[in-house]
Amino acid sequence: MFLKDDISHGYVPFPEKRAAFYKEQGCWENRTHFDLLKENADKFSDKVAVIQNEKQLTYQMLYEYAIHYGSYLKQKGIKETDFILVQSANVIEVFVVIFALYYIGARPVFCLDGHGSYEIENIAKQSRAVGYIRIVDQNNQKDARLITTQFKQPNFSLWFRQTIVSQNTFSESFSMLADIPKDFNLGAQATSTDIAFLQLSGGTTGLPKLIPRTHADYIYSVKESVIAAHLDDQIKQLIVLPVMHNFTMSSPGFLGVFYVGGTVVLSQQSHPRVCFEIIEKYKINQVSVVPAIANLWVNSESRSEYDCSSLDVIQVGGAKLLPTLAQKIVDIFDVKLQQVYGMAEGLVNFTSLDDSLEIILNTQGKKLSIYDEIRIVNHKDEIVELGRQGLIQTRGPYTINGYYNLPKINRRAFTEDGFYKTGDIGYLDNLGNIIVTGREKEQINRSGEKITPSEIEEFLLHHPVIKDVCVIGVEDQYLGERIKALIIPKQNDDQITLRDIRKFLINKNISNFKIPDEIEIVTDFQYTHVGKVNRQKL
Ligand code: OOB
């Protein structure tokens, strides 16, 4: 069943035939995210689900808080199927908020903590969200005030805005619940094939690309990821990447840990000392990072000061992991490495924990589901010979069929037979492992954060002394890629510094991670034979 309202707002459902097939094969189960939490509360009751510093939640507490906060949201006027923006640091309260929304059948729109009011406003417009919940860390309160005052209220029928400050205890964070009775009858759940939430595609621009994931397709990807990552109830996972990211949520992520009744421990920082201390203290056995963090950790002198011997698996994904760094991770941490190549649009690939070291170091592994279809094509969409490099396209039981509310972009991003054009370049070996070698899409991958160059260029063209600008990604030892702006000034003697540029962009309220790391003043760009700036050459 698909909601009429969603269809009229541009949700592209799975084609009937494929949907029937995935159901028949048992991929899609008839349960929602809230059903999962309810089952977990019954099964794992007093087991600790989440820890952040001195705070912790058992499965039963998480369930009850979610119902309590959901009752509060409902009283505030949030209705079933409403889209609510959720922006959060890596704090424990976020889990309560997400499951509270699922409880009342509302749908979170997952924003990144780093997003500024510019992005938040665009995401609100695109999703037609009727509310915004910002969860901040104690250290971060100034930033929260900034966002809520700068944010212009869009013209919606209801605009609910709320900031939860993560304080010492839950009752302080959720002090608004004091007078609200917990009402177990208030919940109005979605069905499993409804949109559960919207996630953002990498490089969110003025027109954010929103990814609608259904309960059934997402839970299926979690269930398969649990198998691929060999999770069981002994899992103690450190969360260091942003909680709202797809990798952190489902590959296997915290949902995978909840699925088996394990424990997640949150860190707000990726600094080696901070993370090593948590690993030692809680005997963490699994963590997922991007290559830039892995690089920081393997090169950290503080490594020998902490006992990280509890670590069994380090997962690395989100950006290309070079084999030399991969080898260092295995040697220095004495762990199993698991490479993960995935995308918020759906498809995820894992190396197997039982693969040979050769495969683990050099490939991004195999597709998660036997029903995933991956094809490598040339520019005419023709399938190339096995082992040949080309464009990666995919469709399957948990890959979307279109972005939300973007019919024009969908015509370019998906093929007629429903394959998503990932924009990545790579090849398959004869064992079915994928090797990602590059990308065609105009995107910078800075420590796993995706940036669209044209968006930054657009902003900079409004700078009073800039005549023309080209933003590119350049290789960086620590970040993978850093952002460089090549600038042609209006007058030869115009003075432009990196500080000016940063200040100018900060004033536009865009995410910090999109701000150039470097600038170069040039007199001209290099062009391709069709007159486009030759980014590759630059
Ligand atoms: C993950 O998701 P997104 O949506 O932030 O980014 C997806 C893009 C991919 O299309 C690819 O360009 C790049 O990030 N990427 C990789 C990679 N993993 C992602 N490029 C090379 N090697 C890898 N291992 O980044 C994401 C979602 C779920 C699980 C893991 C990562």
Side-chain angles (χ1 to χ4, degrees):
M1 190 199 74
F2 299 108
L3 296 174
K4 250 212 237 118
D5 215 29
D6 284 333
I7 302 287
S8 67
H9 287 162
Y11 169 62
V12 186
F14 282 85
E16 261 172 47
K17 216 167 136 193
R18 272 175 51 217
F21 176 71
Y22 299 144
K23 270 188 210 155
E24 230 172 73
Q25 300 308 311
C27 305
W28 295 350
E29 290 175 35
N30 193 15
R31 56 181 173 172
T32 67
H33 284 71
F34 196 79
D35 292 331
L36 258 190
L37 180 65
K38 190 164 186 295
E39 283 166 31
N40 290 348
D42 290 341
K43 263 195 289 188
F44 310 119
S45 176
D46 291 332
K47 258 202 95 177
V48 176
V50 201
I51 300 176
Q52 180 212 342
N53 301 330
E54 69 291 341
K55 281 192 252 189
Q56 60 177 46
L57 277 173
T58 63
Y59 281 91
Q60 182 64 25
M61 283 162 77
L62 178 56
Y63 173 67
E64 291 194 6
Y65 263 106
I67 288 174
H68 204 168
Y69 188 61
S71 309
Y72 165 81
L73 292 178
K74 195 124 187 172
Q75 290 207 2
K76 284 280 169 192
I78 305 296
K79 295 192 302 292
E80 220 175 305
T81 74
D82 279 346
F83 284 115
I84 306 293
L85 308 188
V86 182
Q87 188 178 26
S88 178
N90 279 6
V91 293
I92 200 164
E93 287 81 358
V94 70
F95 300 100
V96 174
V97 170
I98 295 173
F99 283 104
L101 289 169
Y102 292 143
Y103 171 61
I104 59 171
R107 292 141 350 146
V109 181
F110 294 121
C111 307
L112 291 178
D113 194 37
H115 281 145
S117 56
Y118 157 77
E119 283 92 1
I120 296 295
E121 195 170 340
N122 284 325
I123 297 165
K125 279 187 191 144
Q126 187 69 18
S127 61
R128 298 182 169 88
V130 300
Y132 169 65
I133 301 175
R134 169 99 164 114
I135 311 157
V136 290
D137 188 10
Q138 265 163 312
N139 311 323
N140 220 349
Q141 288 186 46
K142 218 172 70 218
D143 178 40
R145 271 200 300 275
L146 206 71
I147 282 230
T148 43
T149 50
Q150 279 166 352
F151 187 35
K152 289 180 226 104
Q153 181 168 315
N155 231 356
F156 297 125
S157 52
L158 161 74
W159 187 257
F160 172 86
R161 181 195 293 162
Q162 176 157 48
T163 306
I164 297 170
V165 181
S166 173
Q167 284 170 342
N168 293 333
T169 64
F170 277 101
S171 43
E172 276 170 331
S173 302
F174 291 104
S175 51
M176 73 291 259
L177 300 182
D179 303 325
I180 309 281
K182 212 173 358 207
D183 188 343
F184 286 84
N185 299 317
L186 265 178
Q189 282 204 51
T191 59
S192 61
T193 48
D194 285 339
I195 297 176
F197 59 81
L198 298 176
Q199 212 159 32
L200 291 159
S201 172
T204 299
T205 60
L207 253 192
K209 291 196 293 235
L210 298 173
I211 297 169
R213 301 290 299 261
T214 64
H215 290 279
D217 91 68
Y218 209 64
I219 290 172
Y220 172 63
S221 78
V222 171
K223 200 169 77 174
E224 290 294 317
S225 300
V226 161
I227 298 168
H230 293 192
L231 295 198
D232 60 27
D233 64 350
Q234 296 304 305
I235 184 78
K236 279 201 171 163
Q237 181 187 67
L238 170 64
I239 296 188
V240 53
L241 296 175
V243 266
M244 301 300 197
H245 193 272
N246 191 50
F247 190 11
T248 320
M249 216 175 268
S250 65
S251 306
F254 63 80
L255 289 175
V257 175
F258 292 169
Y259 198 90
V260 294
T263 304
V264 297
V265 184
L266 293 164
S267 174
Q268 279 107 304
Q269 291 179 48
S270 55
H271 194 281
R273 262 184 202 286
V274 175
C275 293
F276 296 162
E277 198 180 319
I278 296 178
I279 293 170
E280 180 179 281
K281 182 168 173 192
Y282 294 101
K283 302 213 171 348
I284 297 291
N285 46 27
Q286 194 240 23
V287 62
S288 310
V289 293
V290 290
I293 295 180
N295 192 37
L296 205 69
W297 288 8
V298 295
N299 290 310
S300 166
E301 281 170 11
S302 54
R303 164 71 197 87
S304 57
E305 294 167 36
Y306 297 90
D307 178 7
C308 296
S309 61
S310 55
L311 269 181
D312 291 328
V313 176
I314 297 184
Q315 276 192 328
V316 184
K320 178 80 183 170
L321 175 65
L322 297 174
T324 41
L325 176 57
Q327 181 72 61
K328 272 195 200 163
I329 297 168
V330 173
D331 293 344
I332 293 178
F333 284 95
D334 189 20
V335 287
K336 286 207 168 158
L337 170 69
Q338 183 163 51
Q339 290 214 41
V340 186
Y341 161 59
M343 55 209 70
E345 284 81 357
L347 177 72
V348 190
N349 297 260
F350 288 83
T351 53
S352 162
L353 293 173
D354 306 320
D355 273 336
S356 69
L357 190 60
E358 168 84 14
I359 287 177
I360 292 173
L361 298 184
N362 297 295
T363 84
Q364 282 66 58
K366 294 191 180 70
K367 59 191 190 180
L368 184 57
S369 161
I370 52 168
Y371 306 109
D372 281 322
E373 297 170 69
I374 296 180
R375 64 187 187 196
I376 310 289
V377 301
N378 61 21
H379 279 105
K380 291 185 204 146
D381 273 356
E382 295 160 343
I383 296 177
V384 301
E385 221 177 284
L386 181 69
R388 282 283 177 90
Q389 186 173 277
L391 300 161
I392 303 171
Q393 298 186 344
T394 186
R395 68 176 186 189
Y398 59 96
T399 295
I400 56 162
N401 303 284
Y403 293 108
Y404 193 64
N405 204 7
L406 285 176
K408 254 196 209 148
I409 288 183
N410 285 341
R411 280 195 282 279
R412 272 185 279 132
F414 294 82
T415 65
E416 264 173 31
D417 54 351
F419 279 75
Y420 166 56
K421 302 179 186 175
T422 65
D424 294 322
I425 299 172
Y427 63 93
L428 288 163
D429 69 11
N430 51 14
L431 296 170
N433 295 298
I434 199 156
I435 296 96
V436 184
T437 52
R439 84 187 156 244
E440 196 201 38
K441 56 189 167 197
E442 260 180 33
Q443 196 172 73
I444 300 170
N445 191 333
R446 182 187 189 273
S447 293
E449 305 270 23
K450 318 299 186 310
I451 294 117
T452 309
S454 58
E455 178 178 39
I456 314 299
E457 290 166 1
E458 196 63 41
F459 274 113
L460 288 177
L461 281 172
H462 289 100
H463 191 286
V465 300
I466 292 180
K467 182 172 152 203
D468 205 355
V469 56
C470 180
V471 172
I472 55 169
V474 290
E475 222 177 282
D476 185 277
Q477 191 189 346
Y478 303 104
L479 302 166
E481 286 172 36
R482 63 178 185 276
I483 308 171
K484 179 170 177 175
L486 295 141
I487 294 171
I488 304 178
K490 282 193 178 145
Q491 315 277 334
N492 280 348
D493 53 353
D494 275 338
Q495 299 289 318
I496 308 171
T497 65
L498 179 61
R499 243 185 107 197
D500 298 335
I501 297 297
R502 297 181 77 98
K503 230 166 132 187
F504 179 77
L505 289 174
I506 287 169
N507 278 330
K508 302 284 179 201
N509 305 315
I510 65 168
S511 306
N512 275 341
F513 66 78
K514 295 180 181 174
I515 293 176
D517 300 289
E518 186 187 337
I519 62 166
E520 188 183 331
I521 308 298
V522 294
T523 51
D524 206 356
F525 302 136
Q526 301 190 33
Y527 294 91
T528 62
H529 59 279
V530 287
K532 281 170 93 178
V533 173
N534 192 339
R535 290 171 188 275
Q536 216 70 28
K537 264 255 170 73
L538 287 173

